[in-house]
């Protein structure tokens, strides 16, 4: 049975005090959560140190929202994977749709970041997903396959074991729209089949694939009960401890066989 990962992407929100308070509330109120469910929060880079200190020794892991692929040098404004390691990060989100579509990152750059993260012992959460125009044109899997191939180019099966995937339809991020459980499950199942065809079935069966896109306490149970959805990458709802934990508590731990 695959574990379940509930990850909070705090994006460019909160100040230092709010970030530490949110981390504290999450850890304090997570007692009783089934052991099969892992928690993760990804605060803004400037608060990683403070939030990491609050999470130290507790069940919630620390992650970053992005990283650069070079180890050091004249790269103003960037943060290396070594720096993230130094702050106690275990995960890093890469290829998020906001990085792809607002910042202009392409698969080649994301691939370099994935490789750097893996080499540093971090777990990349690699995001893939289509725009509304692409979905309406019935191009969802064409887009997902292209992003999968480009972002993971050159990685072997052993390396891919260290990656978590996240399917996040761009049209459902921050819009209030959510893919139906059936829509999300269909893409997750096809993505798992793609992994099996490119790599092998054993790897595909063990890969965590998260869903991201306006996940909230009132729709989480239906989404997370799907056989190929192994948790959630949560935006706005992760800024409230009670809402974030309500999503985690809605996970039926029998899924993800």
């Amino acid at each position: 049975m695959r574990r379940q990962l509930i990850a909070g992407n705090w994006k460019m929100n909160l100040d230092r005090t709010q970030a530490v308070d949110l981390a504290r509330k999450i850890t304090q109120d997570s007692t009783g959560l089934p052991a099969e469910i892992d928690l993760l929060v990804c605060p803004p880079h400037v608060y990683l140190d403070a939030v990491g200190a609050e999470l130290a020794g507790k069940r919630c892991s620390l992650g970053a929202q992005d990283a650069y692929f070079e180890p050091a040098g004249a790269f103003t404004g960037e943060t290396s994977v070594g720096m993230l390691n130094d702050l106690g990060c275990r995960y890093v989100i890469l290829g998020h749709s906001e990085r792809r579509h607002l910042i202009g990152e392409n698969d080649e750059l994301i691939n370099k970041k994935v490789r750097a993260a893996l080499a540093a012992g971090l777990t990349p959460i690699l995001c893939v997903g289509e725009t509304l125009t692409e979905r309406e044109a019935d191009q969802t899997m064409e887009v997902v396959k292209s992003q999968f191939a480009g972002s993971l180019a050159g990685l072997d099966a052993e390396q891919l074991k260290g990656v978590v995937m996240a399917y996040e339809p761009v049209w459902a991020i921050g819009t209030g729209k959510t893919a139906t459980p059936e829509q999300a499950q269909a893409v997750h199942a096809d993505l798992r089949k793609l992994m099996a065809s490119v790599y092998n079935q054993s790897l595909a069966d063990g890969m965590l694939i998260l869903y991201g896109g306006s996940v909230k306490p009132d729709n989480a149970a239906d989404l997370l009960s799907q056989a190929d959805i192994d948790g959630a990458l949560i935006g706005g709802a992760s800024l409230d401890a009670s809402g974030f934990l309500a999503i985690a508590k809605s996970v039926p731990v029998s899924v993800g066989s």
Side-chain angles (χ1 to χ4, degrees), residues 77-183:
E78 296 294 347
T79 304
S80 73
V81 292
M83 293 173 179
L84 299 183
N85 260 333
D86 194 36
L87 292 173
C89 289
R90 292 183 53 198
Y91 294 82
V92 57
I93 300 170
L94 298 173
H96 191 281
S97 64
E98 290 158 3
R99 302 291 307 179
R100 292 179 185 268
H101 296 284
L102 298 180
I103 309 300
E105 293 191 3
N106 59 25
D107 290 333
E108 182 180 1
L109 174 59
I110 294 165
N111 178 252
K112 291 179 180 178
K113 293 183 175 188
V114 170
R115 289 171 172 273
L118 288 171
L122 293 172
T123 298
I125 299 177
L126 174 63
C127 303
V128 297
E130 82 285 10
T131 65
L132 181 59
T133 299
E134 291 164 340
R135 172 164 279 275
E136 290 178 340
D138 199 25
Q139 296 174 335
T140 295
M141 282 312 299
E142 180 181 339
V143 171
V144 168
K145 287 178 181 179
S146 176
Q147 293 173 344
F148 178 89
S151 300
L152 296 173
L155 270 66
D156 60 27
E158 194 61 32
Q159 290 172 303
L160 196 63
K161 288 180 182 178
V163 177
V164 171
M165 299 293 300
Y167 167 59
E168 41 160 35
V170 180
W171 49 272
I173 297 172
T175 63
K177 298 179 181 179
T178 309
T180 66
E182 294 76 18
Q183 287 174 322

Side-chain angles (χ1 to χ4, degrees), residues 150-216:
S151 300
L152 296 173
L155 270 66
D156 60 27
E158 194 61 32
Q159 290 172 303
L160 196 63
K161 288 180 182 178
V163 177
V164 171
M165 299 293 300
Y167 167 59
E168 41 160 35
V170 180
W171 49 272
I173 297 172
T175 63
K177 298 179 181 179
T178 309
T180 66
E182 294 76 18
Q183 287 174 322
Q185 165 60 20
V187 177
H188 279 240
D190 284 344
L191 186 51
R192 206 175 296 282
K193 290 176 185 175
L194 175 62
M195 292 175 197
S197 66
V198 174
Y199 292 93
N200 59 70
Q201 189 64 54
S202 177
L203 175 65
D205 289 341
M207 175 70 69
L208 294 190
I209 310 177
L210 312 182
Y211 173 76
S214 296
V215 180
K216 297 178 176 63

Side-chain angles (χ1 to χ4, degrees), residues 1-4 36-37 205-206 208 230 251-257:
M1 175 177 168
R2 296 185 297 272
R3 297 185 65 81
Q4 303 286 300
E36 296 89 349
I37 301 173
D205 289 341
L208 294 190
D230 306 314
V251 175
V253 294
S254 60
V255 302
S257 58

Side-chain angles (χ1 to χ4, degrees), residues 10-29:
W10 296 355
K11 305 190 181 184
M12 197 175 72
N13 292 295
L14 309 177
D15 60 25
R16 179 188 176 97
T17 298
Q18 291 170 332
V20 172
D21 285 348
L22 178 55
R24 182 179 300 116
K25 289 175 183 175
I26 288 172
T27 56
Q28 286 177 341
D29 297 344

Side-chain angles (χ1 to χ4, degrees), residues 48-64:
L48 283 169
D49 200 10
V51 172
E54 180 61 38
L55 297 179
K58 298 170 185 172
R59 72 172 294 176
C60 185
S61 296
L62 180 69

